[in-house]
Amino acid sequence: MTESAAFGEQSKRIRTDQPHTARIWNYWLGGKDNYEVDQQAGDQIRRLHPGIGDYARADRQFLGRAVRHLAGEQGIRQFLDVGTGLPTADNTHQVAQSVAPESRIVYVDNDPIVLAHAAALLDSAPEGRTDYLDEDLRNADSILEQAARTLDFSEPVALMLLGVVIFIEDDEEAYGIVRRFMGHLPKGSFLVLSHTVTRPDMPDVDAAVAFWNEHGTPKLTQRTPGAVARFFDGLEVLTPGVVSCNHWRPGTTEGELPEVAMFGAVGRKS
């Protein structure tokens, strides 16, 4: 099957009559790859939790700061971005290759919406390389096997899991998936992970997630900040630890940013 034919087959799986997480996220980020049904759901969630749009921006900015740190200060040249979502500004390869043009990035997602836009993720700097895999997060072994066409797993790799393990409802399955990936990566590799949290002082977040799980797809699972920290067991967590994404090493020009219920951290395998 040709690449265009494969894209055509995948496009048949796209539901335009039901709101979808990736498209709502794209809508909140100001993108155009969404439908009216996504905009309506996004607006309804925003009414339940007016700051929800800040989550998407905080998560994207966290990605940029983490990748710049890893490429610039830690010397990482390989990134495995699982659950990448729809392409938007400052994708992983754009940030990494702006620091180190020779960086190699493998994107992974099983969403036909993302696959339909995957060409935007393959616009690599000539010195580096990008690839896209149509795979599910749960299929760690298959992902690692295919990613080895682009990445050298004898050298450190940054595993990017931004806003994706929230789709794994069972805690032990979610922790097991992350352990399986990190167990395959060599010393000096990093885990970059973000996750929506639940906290007693943020009840509007719970209401927004409940609305989404009733009307949208795929369903989301919240975890406490302590439960998010468990994903980093056995890793050296970089300062400032597991914190609201807005508070992970913000730039001095960004000013005082609000705390959002999207928490993230970066951990090193030693």
Side-chain angles (χ1 to χ4, degrees), residues 1-23:
M1 182 181 293
T2 65
E3 184 176 20
S4 60
F7 282 9
E9 286 297 315
Q10 293 291 341
S11 67
K12 296 176 182 177
R13 293 161 46 195
I14 298 175
R15 293 281 302 272
T16 61
D17 60 338
Q18 185 175 29
H20 191 284
T21 302
R23 297 192 308 245

Side-chain angles (χ1 to χ4, degrees), residues 69-259:
H69 172 76
L70 294 178
E73 299 183 37
Q74 301 289 344
I76 297 297
R77 297 294 180 265
Q78 303 187 109
F79 297 82
L80 179 57
D81 189 338
V82 185
T84 180
L86 279 167
T88 183
D90 297 328
N91 299 297
T92 298
H93 75 284
Q94 294 168 325
V95 178
Q97 291 181 350
S98 71
V99 177
E102 70 274 22
S103 297
R104 287 173 286 170
I105 296 87
V106 173
Y107 291 104
V108 184
D109 209 302
N110 71 335
D111 192 324
I113 299 166
V114 180
L115 178 58
H117 295 269
L121 298 171
L122 303 177
D123 184 21
S124 173
E127 300 93 332
R129 184 178 171 189
T130 64
D131 195 8
Y132 179 89
L133 306 179
D134 179 20
E135 270 288 3
D136 190 289
L137 168 67
R138 296 173 177 85
N139 301 331
D141 291 341
S142 178
I143 289 171
L144 291 164
E145 179 182 356
Q146 295 179 71
R149 298 193 300 255
T150 302
L151 307 179
D152 178 1
F153 285 113
S154 69
E155 297 292 332
V157 175
L159 174 65
M160 313 289 294
L161 296 175
L162 276 74
V164 62
V165 291
I166 60 176
F167 300 121
I168 307 297
E169 180 178 5
D170 183 81
D171 286 344
E172 293 312 310
E173 182 184 10
Y175 296 130
I177 289 170
V178 176
R179 286 195 301 268
R180 191 163 191 84
F181 274 108
M182 293 306 298
H184 186 86
L185 302 183
K187 292 181 179 180
S189 293
F190 287 84
L191 169 65
V192 182
L193 182 144
S194 66
H195 198 297
T196 303
V197 301
T198 179
R199 278 196 341 196
D201 59 337
M202 295 180 170
D204 49 346
V205 178
D206 298 345
V209 171
F211 173 86
W212 172 254
N213 285 342
E214 182 179 353
H215 299 281
T217 184
K219 308 302 182 188
L220 310 181
T221 297
Q222 293 168 276
R223 292 182 171 93
T224 65
V228 175
R230 280 190 58 193
F231 286 107
F232 295 89
D233 284 355
L235 303 178
E236 174 193 351
V237 180
L238 305 189
T239 56
V242 180
V243 295
S244 175
C245 284
N246 269 343
H247 297 163
W248 196 90
R249 304 191 180 197
T252 56
T253 61
E254 295 179 79
E256 185 65 29
L257 296 173
E259 183 173 55

Side-chain angles (χ1 to χ4, degrees), residues 24-67:
I24 291 178
W25 208 251
N26 178 266
Y27 172 55
W28 285 334
L29 285 170
K32 301 185 182 303
D33 298 316
N34 51 76
Y35 297 96
E36 184 176 356
V37 66
D38 307 304
Q39 297 164 18
Q40 291 173 349
D43 290 341
Q44 177 63 29
I45 293 171
R46 205 187 326 250
R47 282 192 287 271
L48 290 169
H49 180 45
I52 194 72
D54 294 335
Y55 290 24
R57 290 185 290 275
D59 196 49
R60 177 57 49 165
Q61 291 164 0
F62 168 63
L63 179 151
R65 294 195 299 270
V67 171

